[in-house]
Amino acid sequence: MKTYWLTGLLITTVACSSGTPDRTGVVVTPAVHSIYVTVYGNDNAAGDVDHPLKTINVALGKARPGDSVILRGGTYQQLVAVNAAGTVNAPIVLTAMAGERVLLDGTGMIVSASTSMLTISGSRYVTVNGLEICNLKTTTPWVDVSGATINAGSTDIIFRNNKIYNIENNVAPEQGRSGHGILVIGNTADPLQRITVEDNEIHDTKTGYSENLTINGYVDGFIIRRNKIYNTENIGIDAAGGYAANANPALNYARNGLISGNELYTIDMTRGPVGGVHGHGAIGIYVDGARNIVVEQNKIHEADRGIGIVSENDAFPTSNCIVRNNFVYNSWRTGIYMGGYLGYTSGGTRNCYVVNNTLFMNNREAGAFGEIEGELRLTEQCFNNVVRNNLVYARPTDIFLHKYTNTGSGNIIDNNWYFTTGTPQWIWNSTNSNVYTDLLSWQQASGADAAAVYGQDPLLKDVNLPDLHLQAGSPARNKGFMLPDSVVGTLDIDGNPRISGGHLSIGAHQL
């Protein structure tokens, strides 16, 4: 038998045990200092396993560093407020009992003001694990509904292994249709720091003009990884700046974050009434006015758009971000895009990298101006960005790369691999004209892509599934422009070494 501590839970592994294994296969035994809650408990009870409490907030009020609040299976129609302080060696843990299903359920709640089923506020060293948060809905105009919120300068928070669904704002778009699955918001002078959101599922939500997993305002240092988000009506993951999250403009943007290993699909604005105005306008992963964000090893498919490093706010350009080693496929519109919105904002995209991504068969619907948006898309105000080593496998009528206007400068576009079974197309400095249908004309017009490859089948493993990994005999293997680890990363899409034998392959898969 082996016993050790992990995030506040006592983990015991045995060769044979009558305990209940958790999702990793190990047996979870309650920590020595545990406070138990059941739906049939009594708040005047001792809170031990035989005398559980009834109200989660009462149990949290009793928790001290190192304690675990353990929820037994059942449906809790309670709004949970976490205002707790653990320590680095003794975090406070709120968790479902191993093997038991715990629901925080908003069914029937009257929501007349912005409401979250679970709020972590002004806390430190807290872990929330294994809950289902669901069924919070509103028909009240101009209020937000959220599954979980982390705010007010909280630090060292882990939100892990939870499921969030049926969080719905059901008012008309013009009445403030807005909500979030998870909202991480830096709304004070103290930053949110060391926030980890991992291994969660968010699905079947109605968030209107808002997002499913939002990092906004003064959030300095976060990890969003291995989450699954699907069947939603608007943006999947959004790291944002320039909105009304923080009163101080110098603090009002997310920074220094990692968005890694997530899977997002059916991110589809037409699932809700907002789509009637904007069509397929949602985005899988969106960096909007944030800075120093790495987006890597994600899989985005059947979304409206794949990944955007874009700014909707004049004073908050999306800056110093890296998009690398991602699979983006079967989107309704563009795969990866940069810049500001046409005729709308001047923030744009600055000093960012889009490198070693694999894009496949995006663009099934025309954009807002009747145009084909392109697998790679640069709109307005793109300055000093690098677009390199991307593998672009386009639909027969698609556009490989589309630059819309003559704004911006200092961008490096090179070493990309382009393939289609149809006619090759690139557009430079135009919405619908200036179409170039051969590589040489494209190179001459753009002054870019001198080392690009067009026309050679990259030999993906299976274009029907699709499986976007390279076959062993792929000509794109080891043909990439060498980039430092700080730019291209140390791991490819599968977590294998990004550089092999001193060589770098085109696309997200090293082989």
Side-chain angles (χ1 to χ4, degrees):
M1 180 176 71
K2 183 178 180 181
T3 302
Y4 55 95
W5 285 95
L6 177 64
T7 63
L9 294 179
L10 186 66
I11 308 296
T12 305
T13 60
V14 294
C16 180
S17 172
S18 60
T20 303
D22 73 358
R23 297 182 188 180
T24 64
V26 300
V27 175
V28 178
T29 302
V32 174
H33 301 288
S34 298
I35 303 167
Y36 289 86
V37 183
T38 70
V39 294
Y40 50 82
N42 185 331
D43 286 338
N44 294 316
D48 59 40
V49 67
D50 296 316
H51 307 90
L53 304 173
K54 181 174 184 177
T55 304
I56 300 169
N57 288 341
V58 170
L60 287 167
K62 297 176 181 292
R64 298 295 178 264
D67 287 354
S68 292
V69 174
I70 299 178
L71 308 184
R72 302 300 305 267
T75 299
Y76 296 79
Q77 291 193 298
Q78 303 176 21
L79 297 179
V80 176
V82 183
N83 305 102
T87 68
V88 63
N89 295 315
I92 291 174
V93 178
L94 173 64
T95 184
M97 184 75 174
E100 298 186 10
R101 187 181 180 195
V102 173
L103 280 72
L104 301 186
D105 193 322
T107 298
M109 289 186 180
I110 298 173
V111 180
S112 58
S114 295
T115 302
S116 180
M117 285 297 299
L118 182 147
T119 302
I120 302 171
S121 185
S123 298
R124 61 183 184 271
Y125 295 105
V126 169
T127 295
V128 175
N129 174 75
L131 310 182
E132 295 186 30
I133 303 174
C134 57
N135 300 328
L136 184 66
K137 304 178 183 183
T138 187
T139 56
T140 303
W142 307 108
V143 304
D144 283 351
V145 286
S146 298
T149 299
I150 304 170
N151 66 15
S154 294
T155 65
D156 300 281
I157 306 299
I158 299 173
F159 191 82
R160 172 188 293 146
N161 220 13
N162 303 287
K163 295 182 178 181
I164 298 178
Y165 54 93
N166 296 348
I167 306 299
E168 300 181 7
N169 189 312
N170 290 310
V171 304
E174 65 274 11
Q175 293 180 315
R177 186 180 175 94
S178 179
H180 307 84
I182 301 171
L183 174 61
V184 180
I185 183 165
N187 55 355
T188 67
D190 297 317
L192 294 182
Q193 293 185 302
R194 296 177 296 280
I195 307 298
T196 300
V197 179
E198 62 185 9
D199 300 310
N200 303 286
E201 284 191 30
I202 305 174
H203 64 91
D204 293 284
T205 62
K206 295 180 180 179
T207 61
Y209 281 106
S210 296
E211 307 84 29
N212 287 273
L213 202 171
T214 304
I215 312 99
N216 191 11
Y218 195 16
V219 185
D220 188 355
F222 62 89
I223 298 173
I224 309 296
R225 65 186 170 197
R226 299 190 304 269
N227 301 284
K228 184 177 288 188
I229 303 176
Y230 58 96
N231 294 351
T232 69
E233 76 170 341
N234 202 6
I235 296 164
I237 299 171
D238 184 11
Y243 297 90
N246 198 294
N248 185 342
L251 308 180
N252 195 25
Y253 62 91
R255 63 201 78 186
N256 302 320
L258 173 67
I259 301 173
S260 175
N262 304 282
E263 183 176 13
L264 300 98
Y265 56 94
T266 327
I267 311 298
D268 186 350
M269 189 174 280
T270 66
R271 294 172 58 88
V274 177
V277 179
H278 299 285
H280 287 289
I283 306 151
I285 297 176
Y286 193 25
V287 181
D288 172 14
R291 305 177 192 178
N292 301 315
I293 312 297
V294 174
V295 180
E296 67 177 0
Q297 298 175 301
N298 302 283
K299 297 178 181 178
I300 304 104
H301 53 99
E302 283 75 42
D304 290 352
R305 296 182 174 117
I307 299 172
I309 46 174
V310 182
S311 175
E312 296 185 28
N313 293 284
D314 292 342
F316 292 84
T318 296
S319 307
N320 302 105
C321 297
I322 302 175
V323 177
R324 64 192 183 197
N325 306 323
N326 301 283
F327 282 168
V328 182
Y329 57 99
N330 291 345
S331 298
W332 282 98
R333 293 182 179 174
T334 191
I336 299 176
Y337 74 118
M338 312 161 70
Y341 284 80
L342 294 176
Y344 178 58
T345 59
S346 60
T349 304
R350 298 170 182 262
N351 305 307
C352 292
Y353 289 86
V354 175
V355 295
N356 283 92
N357 301 284
T358 299
L359 298 96
F360 178 84
M361 296 284 191
N362 298 292
N363 286 296
R364 291 178 282 167
E365 178 186 90
F369 302 94
E371 85 285 20
I372 301 173
E373 291 190 348
E375 293 282 344
L376 293 163
R377 180 184 188 223
L378 286 76
T379 52
E380 292 197 274
Q381 308 297 335
C382 291
F383 293 92
N384 304 315
N385 303 293
V386 176
V387 180
R388 222 161 193 165
N389 291 343
N390 300 288
L391 195 162
V392 183
Y393 194 121
R395 294 178 181 274
T397 58
D398 198 359
I399 292 173
F400 291 130
L401 190 150
H402 188 169
K403 185 173 183 294
Y404 279 64
T405 76
N406 60 7
T407 63
S409 63
N411 302 296
I412 297 173
I413 301 170
D414 208 354
N415 309 97
N416 300 296
W417 190 289
Y418 303 108
F419 182 77
T420 181
T421 58
T423 301
Q425 296 184 81
W426 298 261
I427 293 181
W428 189 252
N429 291 347
S430 174
T431 302
N432 279 311
S433 58
N434 296 347
V435 180
Y436 300 95
T437 57
D438 65 86
L439 182 60
L440 180 59
S441 296
W442 158 247
Q443 291 168 328
Q444 291 174 339
S446 65
D449 255 339
V453 175
Y454 164 70
Q456 294 187 52
D457 190 333
L459 297 181
L460 302 177
K461 280 195 173 180
D462 193 325
V463 297
N464 296 309
L465 285 175
D467 183 343
L468 305 187
H469 295 86
L470 301 175
Q471 296 182 34
S474 169
R477 183 183 182 190
N478 298 333
K479 295 297 176 59
F481 179 84
M482 287 301 296
L483 294 164
D485 289 352
S486 59
V487 172
V488 79
T490 58
L491 303 175
D492 74 354
I493 184 75
D494 295 329
N496 296 316
R498 177 66 268 193
I499 296 174
S500 177
H503 296 287
L504 179 63
S505 294
I506 301 286
H509 177 218
Q510 180 62 27
L511 193 69

